[in-house]
Amino acid sequence: MLELVVLISGAGSNLRALLDATLDAEYPARVVAIGADRDAEGLQLGEDYSIPTFTVPFSRFDSRAEWGRELAAQIRPWTPDLLVLSGLMRLLPPAVVSEFGPAIINTHPAYLPEFPGAHGVRDALAAGVTETGASVIKVDDGVDSGPILAQERVPVLPGDSASTLHDRIKPVERRLLIQTILDIANGTTDLKGTPSA
Ligand code: GAR
């Protein structure tokens, strides 16, 4: 059974889907803690699913490295098998990546390496592409630059706003995230063997 710590910044809708998947006794992973870099709406899921939460507010630290040190200190006691970034809108400092890597994955609402960064949906729309996508990657020190573990195309439809497009991408992200964690648990995906980008 893989023990997961999941980090979020927002509503946590993808996390909710993952939590629902873990309610199935056959699913080989459990969320042991939920962490956030701010007072994220999704922290409520901790109460809803009886899972401990912690918050390490980025705004209270003088540097990303100091924030990362406290974040690592909060994650460490949970000894996660896998750290899942599910809408964490911050780059993890290298020290955190090296402590918990290579067992760190991230979901992204675009077909990487297209449209990395904090505005993957908006940037795809602004570029006028006819299709974008969703990706799950292994996290390295870069911005959405790690090896791709799973990805799928999602069409951009005429009249799409960032919100309607994101709403169509998210169900794909959820499916890919849940399947990727299953693949890691059963050894189909080997994070140690996945080459660095
Ligand atoms: C998801 O679409 C996730 O891929 C994205 O934030 C959303 C979180 O939604 N993350 C990034 O853009 C990271 N670069 P949620 O809080 O409702 O799950």
Side-chain angles (χ1 to χ4, degrees):
M1 184 66 70
L2 280 186
E3 298 199 338
L4 317 175
V5 169
V6 182
L7 302 181
I8 59 169
S9 295
S13 66
N14 289 352
L15 168 59
R16 180 187 290 280
L18 173 61
L19 287 165
D20 286 340
T22 66
L23 295 178
D24 181 344
E26 307 255 298
Y27 190 75
R30 295 289 174 266
V31 178
V32 295
I34 300 166
D37 64 329
R38 64 184 77 162
D39 186 18
E41 188 190 331
L43 287 168
Q44 173 64 33
L45 292 167
E47 207 167 296
D48 298 348
Y49 289 77
S50 302
I51 292 169
T53 62
F54 59 85
T55 308
V56 185
F58 186 82
S59 54
R60 286 206 205 135
F61 294 83
D62 289 335
S63 68
R64 200 161 65 88
E66 279 178 44
W67 170 72
R69 267 193 288 281
E70 180 57 23
L71 183 66
Q74 294 288 329
I75 297 168
R76 203 171 292 130
W78 298 105
T79 59
D81 299 305
L82 183 66
L83 188 58
V84 179
L85 313 188
S86 183
L88 180 76
M89 302 306 283
R90 304 248 170 232
L91 192 59
L92 284 184
V96 180
V97 176
S98 62
E99 176 167 348
F100 299 101
I104 313 176
I105 63 171
N106 183 30
T107 66
H108 186 72
Y111 199 86
L112 291 167
E114 300 168 6
F115 311 114
H119 305 291
V121 179
R122 199 176 76 186
D123 292 348
L125 211 52
V129 293
T130 56
E131 52 178 16
T132 179
S135 306
V136 178
I137 60 168
K138 180 167 107 173
V139 172
D140 65 9
D141 288 337
V143 178
D144 299 322
S145 56
I148 291 157
L149 303 172
Q151 63 185 168
E152 199 172 303
R153 284 289 185 187
V154 174
V156 179
L157 301 181
D160 255 341
S161 64
S163 159
T164 59
L165 180 55
H166 206 167
D167 283 350
R168 261 198 342 281
I169 292 171
K170 279 186 172 185
V172 179
E173 272 190 80
R174 291 168 193 151
R175 185 159 40 73
L176 294 178
L177 178 64
I178 290 164
Q179 182 63 46
T180 300
I181 292 170
L182 184 64
D183 290 345
I184 292 167
N186 67 25
T188 309
T189 294
D190 176 11
L191 291 173
K192 287 196 184 75
T194 310
S196 290

